[in-house]
Amino acid sequence: MALRVARRDIRRHKGRSLLIILLIMLPVAGMTGAATLFQSSQKTPEEIVRFELGGTQARFSTLPAPNAHSVQDPLNDAMVVSSTGVYDPDFKPANPRDLLPPGYEVLPLRQLNLTTGVGSALVSLQGRVVDALHPAFAGKFTLLEGRAPQAAGEALVSPGLLERFSLGFGEEFTTSAGTFVPVGTVRDADASDRNSVIFLRQEQVPEAVLNEGPQSPHSMSYYLVGSEPVTWPQILAANRQGVSVLSRSVVLNPPSLAERNVDGVPPPPSSSGAVALYTTFGLVAVLALLEVGLLAGAAFAVGAKRQVRELALLAASGADTPTVRSVVTSAGLWLGSIAVLAGAALGLGSGAAVVYWVRSMGSARFAGVHPDVLLTVVAMVLGLVCCLLAAMAPANQVARQAALGALKSGRAPAGSAKRTTIAGAVLLLLAGALLAAGWLLGESAGDPDRRAGQLPVVTSLLIGGAVLAVAALVLLAGYLVGLLTARTGALPLSLRMAARDSARNRGRTVPAVGAVLAAATLASAALVLAASQQAMMRENHSWTALENQAFLPLSLEQPLLPDGSTQPAVVVDPAELASAVEGATGNVAWTRTISAPGYVHNCAFGNGTDLSGPARTATSNCLQYVLATPAGNECPMTPERRVADPNDWRCRGSMAQSPGAQGSILVGGADEISAVLGAEAGPEALAVLADGGMVVTNPVFVRDGTVVLEGQDVRTQAQDPADPSRMHETVTSSTLPAIVVEPAQALPYYGVISPETARRLDLHPEPAELLVQLTSFPSAGERDAAAGAVAAVYQQPAVGFWAEPGITQGDSWMTWSIVAISAVITFSAAGITTGLSLADARADHVTLAGIGASPRLRKSLAGSQALLTAGLGTLLGGIAGTLPAVLVAGSTELRTAVEVPWLHLLALVFAVPLAGGLLAWLFTRARLPASRRTLGT
């Protein structure tokens, strides 16, 4: 009977029922769609086999391993999952071709780096030497348009190559491998169609191109066609010789975790990045469901008050209290079931549509449609539970009404709020305990490795505390409204009436405040997490120069001649180079020539290199200069190579955690320090430079006012156990006076010495680069124009133009966009709850009109109600969202970059209620519509 009565009430009030369905359906659809898209981005074993192997049995390639004691990932042949990690200078990977088992047809695939001319510059494109249309590659390579090549000058290309160079079938295209005519387009299932790729056969590529320059050992792969599978023991044997294998049978039936580890090597630690990601999304999803549950609760509350007379008649005719309660709860069951089913269908359908659309555009971002059944069921259950809980509170309130009182007045008697307030206080204390426990547990582990293991428990406690805090504040909302009402005597009439009406009708006020509170909690938590994420990006950004700066080399080393002899380097005039860049871009602020010790050039590397000769000769240089880190100033690391304390001064700043490279030492004075480091050198720093000392960018290299400048022979290989980044032996060492001038950003420079000091130390200083400061980041067209101009000066078409983009591009816009989205969410919550409150208060407005209240007063009352509801909700929500988000961010990898965007939060807390009140005032009709006479009056 309850289900039948609830169904008839739903059909009678279609608008309110549709609103509740939409409120529950949308978050369920969002979570289902997000889960579907995430799972669709993960390849299944069958898709790995189809996309990467096609119909072949296995692929043999070179494994990037440091020694013979390394094991690959069975599902990813380019990744080492277990290794001792010790570099073995005598380890030489075998040629994959030499390990191919007999009895298979072999299909080689070779990757080439090709170029084509665009103006004066050469731009790069990818070449694939492979029989792409071989039947065994079905599923990996697909002919999209056109036909197979039939002549020596015909080739297959990717769709992106035709689009990039505005080509059509039959038009000639000249590359460094020759001139070809595209006759068809091919899709690589494991790569994007937008890549610029040309597919060639072995006989189409000249031998000179195949043997040009040093070829990467990873450029060759061999695919085996046959019936016999390649087993995991065969793969382990190949790994010991530096060869990786992707096997069809192993991917479909992977070995156990124990079989993937090198003996004596512990399994790799779990990454906290995935936990942090799921934590963030889990917090947002829970708050979203809580918000819509409260919004639906407001709608149910209004509906239940409209049902008072009908339900009282039902009680008067003999129905007991559980039956009356079940009528309203059954409405939640009906509406929740419809909402979650529709939401799951919408989420799955939307996710599938996005996957099919992205795949049809040639993107490899998604492998296929992979519904996540478990997460979909969880989202449906959570949505249904939220709807039932939203209906339960008004159901209990209506069921407690006395039948005679309801028949007389049609209004629920105001119940005691004492128990609700006590329950809210208890929940608030419990929420505080959970938040404190999560924070204390996270801070108790000083070891980052241990902290990473505790992260799931910590984040679970923090999320639980955040949800309980929102629930507690919702329960305390009625008490807080009463406190505010007692202190509104000095406010204008409309605000006093709104406060007293809210206190008198807490049944509709509390759900409205709770819905806005949940929305503001979600918005403020998203703001804090987004701001912390951006702060982490700023801290971890690898600066190559200051923002909008470009460094152009003044000397280019030439390749060796066929007989192995060296050619003189190409040296360009900095004034000519600067003029070319200025003429091409038009946004050059200034240029400056930067000097440095002689760069490494004409130096032989690798195993078997003769080290008997000097590191520097008249025609070669194998020395690079670095600063030694004094003992005790090394960045402390855990056994799993995590930074023990990211806030430690020894782990921060320029070059603190990165090895030196060419150009890390600059030669100059005050002007160079200002131009390159973005900091001004004071009189003391200039005095140190003049006395033969060094201006250092990081105090980590300084001890007792001195630094040690080392010259390393890059021909050597010697790993330092204390600092694995130091890979070369030190052959020269000089102690210099030092002073620290920290740069504007963590730039890749050790510091600056004067030209006199560089000559005294025999560093062979010379003009090294042209520093170009741009007024703004160049567009793609400006970069292409600059590359063409630079190529003309160098007479080297392959030289490009790159500027440091920095990290501020769009950051402010992104944060304010989150504010805008959050404001829209909060506006929608405030608008829905205000509308429901006004609908419920229609009789009160009729009474006001009957005693002579002006339309302006009624509009002001509506605006004041919205202002009070949204103001209290956003204030409490800002507190409830900011504190847990700060704790959650402080427990993940964001801990060193926790940032609270106070300006944006203040805009949310103050602007949203004011705008909501203004909109309520504008859209509330001055005249009330005529209503039917109420029965009995």
Side-chain angles (χ1 to χ4, degrees), residues 463-603:
I463 290 179
V467 174
L468 285 183
V470 175
L473 291 175
V474 171
L475 293 176
L476 292 172
Y479 173 74
L480 295 175
V481 168
L483 287 180
L484 290 176
T485 303
R487 291 164 176 79
T488 57
L491 296 179
L493 175 62
S494 59
L495 285 174
R496 293 201 307 272
M497 293 180 64
R500 292 172 183 174
D501 181 75
S502 298
R504 185 168 55 92
N505 296 283
R506 298 183 187 184
R508 67 168 180 250
T509 303
V510 170
V513 172
V516 178
L517 186 154
T521 302
L522 176 62
S524 57
L527 277 174
V528 172
L529 293 174
S532 300
Q533 181 74 25
Q534 292 175 14
M536 187 188 69
M537 292 173 61
R538 290 195 296 272
E539 286 195 0
N540 295 335
H541 182 71
S542 297
W543 291 90
T544 60
L546 294 177
E547 189 173 356
N548 299 328
Q549 284 187 351
F551 279 93
L552 299 176
L554 299 178
S555 176
L556 289 180
E557 184 176 356
Q558 298 296 293
L560 297 176
L561 294 173
D563 61 358
S565 60
T566 61
Q567 303 182 72
V570 173
V571 179
V572 299
D573 181 15
E576 182 183 2
L577 191 59
S579 177
V581 176
E582 290 174 358
T585 62
N587 65 340
V588 177
W590 48 262
T591 60
R592 179 174 295 278
T593 301
I594 303 299
S595 298
Y599 278 3
V600 173
H601 64 277
N602 296 335
C603 184

Side-chain angles (χ1 to χ4, degrees), residues 880-900:
T882 301
L883 178 60
V886 167
L887 296 178
V888 168
S891 301
T892 63
E893 76 275 6
L894 302 177
R895 60 185 295 113
T896 61
V898 177
E899 184 172 301
V900 180

Side-chain angles (χ1 to χ4, degrees), residues 398-446:
V398 170
R400 286 196 302 266
Q401 292 183 75
L404 183 58
L407 288 173
K408 284 184 175 180
S409 64
R411 180 179 296 275
S416 173
K418 185 176 181 180
R419 286 184 296 178
T420 302
T421 303
I422 293 175
V426 171
L427 279 182
L428 190 60
L429 292 175
L430 181 58
L434 289 178
L435 292 175
W439 180 76
L440 291 175
L441 181 61
E443 294 296 321
S444 64

Side-chain angles (χ1 to χ4, degrees), residues 763-813:
L763 302 186
H764 293 249
E766 58 187 28
E769 294 176 315
L770 177 71
L771 172 59
V772 181
Q773 177 67 64
L774 305 173
T775 57
S776 61
F777 189 73
S779 64
E782 290 173 331
R783 292 196 299 271
D784 291 340
V790 168
V793 175
Y794 285 118
Q795 299 297 312
Q796 293 280 333
V799 177
F801 182 85
W802 188 87
E804 170 60 51
I807 53 176
T808 60
Q809 306 285 337
D811 279 1
S812 177
W813 173 86

